Amino acid sequence: MATINVRQLDDVVVSRLKRRAADHNRSLEGEARQILQDAVRDDAPGRRQSFLALAAKLRRETEGSRQTPSELLIRADREAGLRTPG
C-alpha cells in the first residue's frame, strides 16, 4: 500500500477537514483517505460508460421533440439580468 504526503495545506482547509472528519467519526487521515477514494471512484470508466448509455437513451427518447438551444436560454437569462453559474 502506498503513502502520500500533502504539504502546504491552507490552515482553513485543514480546519474544515478536521471538522468534517469529526462529523463522520473518522480521524483526519481517515477522512482524507475517504475523500480520495470517493474522488477516484466517481471517475471510474464504468461510471463514464453508464453516463454515456444514459445520455444515448435520453437522446433516443427525446428525438423529434422540439428543443430550445441552450444559447437562447442563456441569452434570455442575461437580458433579464440573471447570471449563469460559473
Side-chain angles (χ1 to χ4, degrees):
M1 196 167 279
T3 301
I4 64 170
N5 294 311
V6 181
R7 295 182 178 92
Q8 300 179 354
L9 284 173
D10 186 88
D11 290 339
V12 174
V13 171
V14 175
S15 176
R16 289 179 181 172
L17 188 57
K18 285 179 181 179
R19 187 174 340 123
R20 182 174 164 152
D23 290 345
H24 295 122
N25 296 317
R26 287 193 273 257
S27 66
L28 178 63
E29 180 181 335
E31 186 67 18
R33 186 181 304 112
Q34 187 64 51
I35 290 168
L36 291 170
Q37 289 171 346
D38 291 346
V40 297
R41 180 177 33 253
D42 288 346
D43 195 33
R47 186 170 172 90
R48 176 173 165 70
Q49 291 304 317
S50 64
F51 169 78
L52 294 175
L54 182 60
K57 179 181 176 211
L58 184 59
R59 278 193 299 275
R60 285 191 306 275
E61 289 176 355
T62 59
E63 189 175 4
S65 298
R66 186 163 184 258
Q67 304 290 326
T68 303
S70 59
E71 63 270 16
L72 295 179
L73 298 171
I74 292 170
R75 184 175 295 122
D77 282 351
R78 287 181 180 161
E79 288 173 356
L82 302 175
R83 294 188 55 163
T84 56

